[in-house]
Structures are given as C-alpha cells and as structure tokens.
Amino acid sequence: GFSDPPVLDISPTGIVAGYELEIPDVNVGALLLSNMALGARLRLPFDGDPVSVRFNFAEREDPFNLTISLLGGGGFFALAVQSTGVREVEAALEFGAAIAFAIGVATGGVYVKAGIYIHRLQDASGETVALTGNVEMGGELSVLGLIRVSVTFHLALSYHKSGGTAELRGQATLTIEIEILFFSTSVKLKVERRFGGSPADPKFLDFIPDQPTWDRYAAAFA
C-alpha cells in the first residue's frame, strides 16, 4: 500500500524523503469513511536548520470524507516536529447536510455546512496562530435545464496572532449566479471587517501614568 517509489527530493538546500499509505474505505451501514491516507516526511536541511519530521492524516487539499445518511463532512490533520520541539500543527474539520429535490420540471438542492480550521506555526520569526470558524449555506434551482439559479452565502470569523499582535477578522460573502439559455451572469457581494488587538495586555503601571494618579489610588485604600 505504500507509494512506489517513496518521495525523494535532493536539492542544494537539503533532502526530503517521505511516503504515503492509503487506507481502505470503511463502510458500516449508513456510515462511510473514505479517502483516508497516512503520510510521513523527513526533511534534512543543509543550511543549519534543525531536522524536521511531518506526519499527516489526509491533506488540506485532499481531505478524508465522512458520510452518515444525509450528513457528510471531512477534514485532515498534520503535525510537524523538529529537534527543538513542535514546529507546526494544522487541522480542519467540516460537517454538514445536503438535500436534493425534484418537483415537476424543476430540480435542485440545498445544503448547509460548518467547519473549523486551526494552524499554529513556530519558526525563526516567532509564533503564528490562526483559528477560523465558518458557516456556508447554498441552494440551486434548475427548470428544464434552461434556467438555473444558485445562491451561496459564506460567513467566516478568524483569529490571527503573529508575534505580539493579534487580530480578529470577520468576512461575509453572498454569491448569486443566473443562467438563462446562453446568457449567464453572477453577482458577488463581500464584506470584511478587521479588529486589531494590542501587542500585549496592559500592565498595572500603564493605568498610573503620573504621581497624582498614584496618590488618589493609594488614598482609596487608606
């Protein structure tokens, strides 16, 4: 079941060797677990960086799939460690439901799904943390294959921290597509807001900028 040949990349900057093992699908009643794979990769750099090893279950661009009746989802997990400790942790999990319908000459479907994504990276520039939660809803309606209308709404809330600065980002996107015979058009509305945080929590001395302020503070406990 191992990939043949294993990954082997030799360059002036280092050597990367790895493998990938595909896991057979698991089907138990209404439960289906598919597209599973285990992988490992060793990186031996020539530039003085520490040796690192990365393990993964599925991949971000090729996640595993989990289906239970009308419910379905997927995700992945990856962990990279080096001689100095854990270098990177990345994971995502998504789950939702979908329903298709047919009413006379009209067919279509609706779906809703939610997910969470986590990424932590520790490198020479410091620690970077990203945490994102998202919800997506959509639907499609087709009449005789001549007219098709689809609507998609995506809402995401993200927390990003790099170095000593943290930031909260919110994003909402609405996409509408219309096709009539050979004519098609789409409209996309997007709203994004960012809220920056302070580099660090305030200290006690930050609330007492001068001597009179300290005198009033001390007198309150006299």
Side-chain angles (χ1 to χ4, degrees):
F2 289 88
S3 59
D4 185 22
V7 176
L8 182 60
D9 182 17
I10 302 176
S11 66
T13 60
I15 299 176
V16 177
Y19 73 92
E20 183 174 338
L21 174 64
E22 295 184 0
I23 302 176
D25 297 346
V26 176
N27 192 350
V28 181
L31 184 147
L32 174 62
L33 188 59
S34 61
N35 201 40
M36 297 180 291
L38 291 174
R41 185 163 299 189
L42 171 67
R43 180 175 181 268
L44 180 62
F46 298 151
D47 55 4
D49 289 344
V51 178
S52 62
V53 181
R54 183 179 185 271
F55 304 94
N56 67 276
F57 177 67
E59 286 285 4
R60 182 177 183 179
E61 63 276 5
D62 191 19
F64 70 87
N65 299 315
L66 174 64
T67 304
I68 306 176
S69 187
L70 297 177
L71 304 178
F76 77 98
F77 175 79
L79 172 67
V81 296
Q82 56 189 21
S83 56
T84 57
V86 178
R87 180 181 185 274
E88 184 178 17
V89 177
E90 188 177 20
L93 183 63
E94 188 176 71
F95 208 75
I99 300 177
F101 60 85
I103 305 175
V105 296
T107 60
V110 294
Y111 72 90
V112 57
K113 60 182 181 180
I116 186 171
Y117 171 74
I118 302 173
H119 185 210
R120 175 187 176 274
L121 176 64
Q122 182 73 45
D123 55 16
S125 60
E127 183 185 46
T128 302
V129 178
L131 175 62
T132 301
N134 65 84
V135 177
E136 183 174 302
M137 296 177 287
E140 180 180 283
L141 177 65
S142 177
V143 180
L144 292 175
L146 303 177
I147 302 175
R148 188 182 72 87
V149 179
S150 66
V151 179
T152 304
F153 175 74
H154 184 84
L155 178 66
L157 184 63
S158 305
Y159 169 79
H160 295 263
K161 180 181 178 182
S162 180
T165 303
E167 184 180 51
L168 187 65
R169 304 174 186 175
Q171 184 182 92
T173 305
L174 176 64
T175 305
I176 303 175
E177 297 182 356
I178 301 176
E179 295 182 6
I180 303 177
L181 294 178
F182 303 105
F183 170 79
S184 65
T185 183
S186 64
V187 177
K188 186 174 183 179
L189 305 176
K190 182 177 180 180
V191 178
E192 183 175 357
R193 294 290 184 270
R194 296 189 177 189
F195 307 92
S198 60
D201 293 333
K203 300 179 180 179
F204 178 74
L205 291 178
D206 295 333
F207 296 98
I208 306 180
D210 49 38
Q211 186 63 38
T213 303
W214 169 255
D215 293 339
R216 290 194 299 270
Y217 175 80
F221 294 92

